Amino acid sequence: MDHDTWSLRALWNIYATDIFALWHTYRIPIILSTFAILITIRTILHLRVNRERVSDTPPPASPTLQAAKEKGPVEYLEKKTNGEKVPRRIVGGLKKKKSSEENLVPAEKKIQVLVFFSSLTTTTEKTAKVFTEGLAQCTKDITSSTSTIFLEPEILDLSYIDYDDYFINPPKADPEVQYFYLLIVPTYNIDTVLDNYLEHLQETHNDFRIDTAPLSPLLGYSVFGFGDREGWPTEEEGFCSQARDIDKWMAKLTGRKRAFPLGMGDPKTDAVERLREWKEGVEDTLRHIAETGSLGEGVAGSGDAVESDVEDVDDEDDVLFEEQKLAKRKVKEKKGDLNDLEDLGGSIPKAEDAEDEALEVDFTTYSKKPSTTTAVVKEMVPKNSPTYNSLTKQGYTIVGSHSGVKICRWTKSAMRGRGSCYKYSFYGIASHQCMETTPSLSCSNKCVFCWRHGTNPVGTTWRWTVDPPTSSSPASRQATTRKSKCYAECPACEQSALQKQ
Ligand SMILES: Cc1cc2nc3c(=O)[nH]c(=O)nc-3n(C[C@H](O)[C@H](O)[C@H](O)COP(=O)(O)O)c2cc1C
């Protein structure tokens, strides 16, 4: 027995020594291969579990049909049009959230639909009134079938409202009421109230003192435009250009709360059909809001894939696009040889080619030899130029040929007794007595704090006629006084502030 125990112990000692020697020699490869095996097993198990989960889901009954449904009518339209250019129709619609994501039992809330319109020859006004009556009936039906209370839709003429009351923030009279905006507008390539309205939207978006999307508390918005295909056959030529601009600015101001794609129609041809489609879409959206409390995922573009893409990458410039195109169109129509001062890049080579063109005087560098060429000096902003039209449309009064005045929104605000700008808080400067004036409408900078828009002429050198300061300075003062006197009629303005102007 003793002998057996001894021999086993000796055997064990030999094996143990061998095992330890082996371990010391091969421990690193052993550890690494163990890890590798464990990771492989773990990965295999993980993949198997996933595959099992997928296989639990029953296959869709008709995958082809489902895919077609998801792509929606856009693809259908693409197939139908077969690449041909046809008038754009309202396509797409509300992308509803999956039922699990929806708040199926929304708290009781009140919704007020505001229908804004503008009209010169009454077509839009009449249509907007009929539309609002029809909408009132629909909202009544929704109210009776859901827990949402729709207040009677209100119709508002853009010519008679204060934009500050509706387009800087949604109205706040009743905190329980949420607003939904509908805009029905024509397009005019002449000066109308819509130019001021568009300017207001643009200024509000670009005003660094307020949020870039101050209308985001709105439930949603949608725009319908009337145009004339006889005079403006395509969108490129200006069909419904102002409705398209309004739609884009509203998308920016609301943080992309476009509830239904922009509708466009020509009263002489397809307006009835297009408006009917748009109305149905809007009503469908309102019903969805009443049932779920939200817009769902909203509509990114107009349902047109191309437009949605463009909007994803666009920035500020896309909205100026229509205005710039309009200016170009006007230049083409006139076929004049006037240079657009905003397009200095294009005009410089012309100046070099033609001997009788004005040469630039660069004040920032010194030339060794004085130029012998006789310069033909032109006006910076001639009265018949597109730049003149564009600047006056923006609210400038052009003084002489290169100076200008404009009323800043803080000046207007101070005249209404609604507060002055930081200059008042810091230095006690009364905003209602300010005079925003410049002796040069051309500026090479686009300063954040400037009261001018960035669309004025841009130039780093002076190559225009110079007005005598003795005439332009008093003229600027007169122009400012004349402009501010327009506010004398405004009931919201404080007479004491006006008198001090
Ligand atoms: C002077 C003038 C300019 C117009 N400019 C455009 C235009 O640039 N683009 C467009 O699509 N329609 C244009 N139209 C057509 C109007 O937008 C269209 O007739 C609209 O239905 C008028 O609406 P209203 O009667 O409500 O003012 C213009 C019409 C006139 C009289």
Side-chain angles (χ1 to χ4, degrees):
M1 186 70 176
D2 272 356
H3 180 259
D4 280 355
T5 319
W6 178 84
S7 58
L8 272 174
R9 221 180 264 160
L11 205 64
W12 163 247
N13 281 345
I14 291 164
Y15 277 127
T17 323
D18 283 352
I19 286 164
F20 279 126
L22 268 173
W23 170 248
H24 276 293
T25 317
Y26 297 107
R27 68 187 166 196
I28 291 168
I30 290 169
I31 291 169
L32 287 178
S33 42
T34 313
F35 266 119
I37 290 162
L38 285 174
I39 286 167
T40 317
I41 293 168
R42 172 84 184 80
T43 314
I44 290 166
L45 285 175
H46 182 75
L47 288 174
R48 278 202 175 173
V49 169
N50 273 357
R51 224 177 287 141
E52 273 163 19
R53 241 188 248 154
V54 171
S55 63
D56 280 346
T57 316
S62 169
T64 348
L65 204 65
Q66 190 61 27
K69 259 191 196 173
E70 274 162 17
K71 281 184 182 166
V74 179
E75 285 226 333
Y76 173 63
L77 191 82
E78 275 168 7
K79 261 186 204 167
K80 244 182 131 180
T81 55
N82 209 14
E84 278 172 43
K85 274 209 163 187
V86 291
R88 193 142 57 96
R89 293 187 53 173
I90 300 172
V91 286
L94 192 67
K95 267 195 237 162
K96 291 171 185 168
K97 279 185 183 177
K98 282 174 205 154
S99 57
S100 58
E101 293 168 40
E102 284 174 353
N103 173 15
L104 285 173
V105 197
E108 191 174 281
K109 58 187 173 293
K110 289 179 197 160
I111 297 177
Q112 170 80 69
V113 181
L114 298 181
V115 182
F116 298 92
F117 75 93
S118 163
S119 188
L120 241 66
T121 55
T122 69
T123 319
T124 316
E125 182 175 1
K126 284 177 196 156
T127 317
K129 280 179 181 161
V130 175
F131 170 87
T132 312
E133 280 163 21
L135 189 73
Q137 190 50 51
C138 167
T139 51
K140 251 185 216 164
D141 295 346
I142 302 174
T143 304
S144 57
S145 59
T146 63
S147 63
T148 304
I149 300 164
F150 272 93
L151 304 176
E152 177 109 352
E154 221 179 289
I155 184 163
L156 296 158
D157 188 338
L158 285 171
S159 310
Y160 298 108
I161 56 162
D162 188 344
Y163 302 142
D164 289 6
D165 294 343
Y166 298 93
F167 295 98
I168 290 187
N169 291 303
K172 286 180 188 145
D174 185 348
E176 276 185 18
V177 178
Q178 287 181 289
Y179 289 86
F180 188 93
Y181 284 8
L182 293 172
L183 293 120
I184 307 179
V185 287
T187 287
Y188 281 95
N189 64 355
I190 51 167
D191 275 0
T192 66
V193 66
L194 284 174
D195 295 301
N196 298 339
Y197 173 61
L198 273 163
E199 189 192 350
H200 184 278
L201 297 184
Q202 183 179 354
E203 271 187 6
T204 309
H205 177 68
N206 292 329
D207 195 330
F208 63 91
R209 290 160 292 198
I210 48 180
D211 184 7
T212 51
L215 293 178
S216 52
L218 286 184
L219 281 170
Y221 81 92
S222 190
V223 182
F224 189 89
F226 285 111
D228 182 357
R229 279 214 180 81
E230 227 169 72
W232 299 267
T234 61
E235 285 177 30
E236 286 72 32
E237 284 160 296
F239 181 67
C240 288
S241 59
Q242 288 184 313
R244 283 182 283 134
D245 282 351
I246 291 171
D247 184 47
K248 285 178 187 172
W249 281 119
M250 284 299 289
K252 287 172 196 284
L253 287 168
T254 57
R256 298 186 180 213
K257 284 205 172 166
R258 183 185 287 116
F260 195 71
L262 167 76
M264 291 184 285
D266 178 353
K268 290 180 199 154
T269 54
D270 59 352
V272 175
E273 177 67 5
R274 295 290 91 82
L275 190 68
R276 190 188 51 74
E277 288 169 358
W278 184 73
K279 186 168 178 279
E280 280 171 10
V282 167
E283 287 176 352
D284 192 24
T285 310
L286 288 174
R287 205 165 286 119
H288 183 73
I289 292 174
E291 281 163 6
T292 66
S294 82
L295 255 186
E297 288 169 25
V299 183
S302 67
D304 181 327
V306 178
E307 193 194 4
S308 305
D309 282 355
V310 170
E311 198 163 301
D312 282 341
V313 290
D314 72 2
D315 203 350
E316 309 310 308
D317 297 340
D318 61 341
V319 183
L320 298 174
F321 194 48
E322 291 307 325
E323 215 173 77
Q324 287 162 352
K325 276 197 286 191
L326 185 68
K328 276 188 193 165
R329 268 199 336 261
K330 280 182 184 167
V331 171
K332 260 191 199 169
E333 279 163 19
K334 285 180 184 164
K335 289 196 177 153
D337 59 352
L338 291 165
N339 285 333
D340 187 343
L341 294 169
E342 287 172 17
D343 195 14
L344 281 178
S347 60
I348 288 166
K350 274 187 219 158
E352 281 168 359
D353 294 342
E355 276 194 354
D356 59 344
E357 282 288 340
L359 281 188
E360 285 185 30
V361 184
D362 186 350
F363 296 116
T364 58
T365 52
Y366 297 97
S367 161
K368 279 173 196 162
K369 282 183 194 169
S371 168
T372 50
T373 323
T374 337
V376 178
V377 192
K378 288 181 175 180
E379 290 188 334
M380 184 197 282
V381 186
K383 281 211 164 50
N384 50 356
S385 66
T387 314
Y388 185 95
N389 289 340
S390 163
L391 290 173
T392 46
K393 230 183 211 183
Q394 286 172 33
Y396 284 92
T397 293
I398 315 294
V399 178
S401 66
H402 54 73
S403 313
V405 296
K406 194 169 183 268
I407 304 274
C408 156
R409 67 181 289 261
W410 282 110
T411 305
K412 295 176 199 168
S413 161
M415 284 199 279
R416 288 179 176 134
R418 290 186 186 169
S420 303
C421 76
Y422 74 96
K423 287 181 208 151
Y424 178 72
S425 324
F426 290 0
Y427 318 114
I429 295 170
S431 301
H432 61 269
Q433 288 182 303
C434 281
M435 175 169 120
E436 291 77 29
T437 180
T438 178
S440 170
L441 285 161
S442 163
C443 179
S444 57
N445 306 311
K446 292 194 174 183
C447 301
V448 175
F449 297 101
C450 186
W451 52 275
R452 300 187 266 205
H453 288 291
T455 48
N456 54 312
V458 176
T460 51
T461 56
W462 188 276
R463 59 191 187 97
W464 303 284
T465 53
V466 180
D467 300 332
T470 44
S471 74
S472 58
S473 173
S476 296
R477 277 203 299 276
Q478 275 169 13
T480 307
T481 315
R482 227 180 4 253
K483 275 178 112 51
S484 50
K485 278 202 173 134
C486 298
Y487 288 85
E489 301 299 321
C490 171
C493 287
E494 291 182 347
Q495 291 306 313
S496 56
L498 285 169
Q499 277 154 17
K500 282 184 192 157
Q501 255 283 341

